[in-house]
Amino acid sequence: MADASDTPAALRRTAEDGARMAGRILRERFPQHRTIEFKGGIDLVTDADRASEAALLDFIRQRHPHHAILAEESGAWQGTDTFRWLVDPLDGTTNYSHQVPHFCVSVAVEGPQGTLAGAVYDPMRDELFSAAKGEGATLNGLPLKASTADTLERALLCTGFPYDVRERPDLPVGLFTQLILLAQGMRRTGSAALDLAYVAAGRFDGYFEFGLKPWDIAAGGLLVAEAGGVIVHIDGKPFDVLKGDVLASGAALAPTLLAQAKRFLAELQWTSRD
């Protein structure tokens, strides 16, 4: 049952505090030797992922003991009410394992009305992006606004490649090839949650990626929407955290970017995996 601690503003504070706490663990461990395991193919997990997640889950359970949790490493934990936390304790694990200082913690919570609050924290830059449904998005307390770019020629785009890219290169590589010829530039940074936060901040004008998980995109998707941007399924259907093929941008660029994506998917005769 919802109470005063379950308002979007209160949930936002939990997301912010939890993300900062978990981020400190990542920052402290960053220069240390890593213990790395492979979950399959090129998908890996480190001791830092596990330490960050364990601390973050304990924190959420202390504040909201009846809420459910879905976390990348430990899976699902059932609660007794309608709220569920989506937790990625280290988004950008490959960067982290190579000591590339671009990674984050992503924390979001959803309820009957969708995603209610979320935070994305970059501990190396001490940048905390957060949002609450209907209350806007901020970076370290200052309001965020998505890009106003309206042409691809003036747009800096970003993408990422899924862990099964070797088995299915046609989608991510194909759309990348099409858009790189039209955009001002293209980046691939290695953290989907930060990519979406950067779209919300207007640093990237647009972003697309295939094969993402709910914990990758829940907080970032809310950031984009609350910053006045647009986030949809790659084929233009409404955004859904359970459907991990996404397209995000500032509102002015959205029609052009979506038209390019739809044309590419039609030529490929693509059918959603979701």
Side-chain angles (χ1 to χ4, degrees), residues 120-193:
V120 172
Y121 180 55
D122 177 348
M124 304 306 283
R125 298 177 181 84
D126 192 27
E127 290 192 329
L128 179 65
F129 305 83
S130 72
K133 189 176 181 68
E135 298 181 10
T138 62
L139 167 55
N140 291 346
L142 299 177
L144 288 180
K145 182 174 176 56
S147 165
T148 59
D150 59 1
T151 65
L152 284 170
E153 291 82 0
R154 294 292 182 267
L156 179 62
L157 304 182
C158 184
T159 190
F161 298 133
Y163 286 117
D164 65 352
V165 66
R166 295 175 178 176
E167 290 74 42
R168 295 174 58 93
D170 51 338
L171 286 169
V173 176
L175 188 52
F176 172 91
T177 301
Q178 176 173 306
L179 290 174
I180 192 71
L181 299 176
L182 301 172
Q184 184 181 50
M186 181 82 76
R187 300 291 181 265
R188 194 277 198 234
T189 71
S191 171

Side-chain angles (χ1 to χ4, degrees), residues 29 32-37 45-52 96:
R29 289 174 174 246
Q32 301 174 12
H33 175 74
R34 293 273 65 75
T35 298
I36 299 172
E37 302 171 35
V45 60
T46 73
D47 56 301
D49 293 74
R50 299 192 190 283
S52 173
Y96 192 89

Side-chain angles (χ1 to χ4, degrees), residues 35-70:
T35 298
I36 299 172
E37 302 171 35
F38 282 86
K39 296 186 285 187
I42 57 176
D43 189 4
L44 53 85
V45 60
T46 73
D47 56 301
D49 293 74
R50 299 192 190 283
S52 173
E53 181 171 290
L56 185 50
L57 298 194
D58 284 345
F59 179 83
I60 292 172
R61 287 168 182 156
Q62 287 174 14
R63 287 214 182 167
H64 305 280
H66 302 298
H67 290 191
I69 302 174
L70 178 62

Side-chain angles (χ1 to χ4, degrees), residues 9 87 211 222 249 261:
V87 173
L222 182 64
S249 71

Side-chain angles (χ1 to χ4, degrees), residues 170-250:
D170 51 338
L171 286 169
V173 176
L175 188 52
F176 172 91
T177 301
Q178 176 173 306
L179 290 174
I180 192 71
L181 299 176
L182 301 172
Q184 184 181 50
M186 181 82 76
R187 300 291 181 265
R188 194 277 198 234
T189 71
S191 171
L194 274 177
D195 290 342
L196 287 167
Y198 280 25
V199 172
R203 296 175 179 177
F204 291 140
D205 301 298
Y207 164 78
F208 72 91
E209 189 163 351
F210 295 89
L212 294 164
K213 301 298 184 182
W215 48 78
D216 295 322
I217 57 178
L222 182 64
L223 285 168
V224 171
E226 290 294 324
V230 174
I231 181 165
V232 293
H233 194 253
I234 196 78
D235 61 6
K237 294 177 182 175
F239 174 65
D240 183 337
V241 297
L242 298 179
K243 298 180 179 180
D245 304 324
V246 301
L247 187 77
S249 71

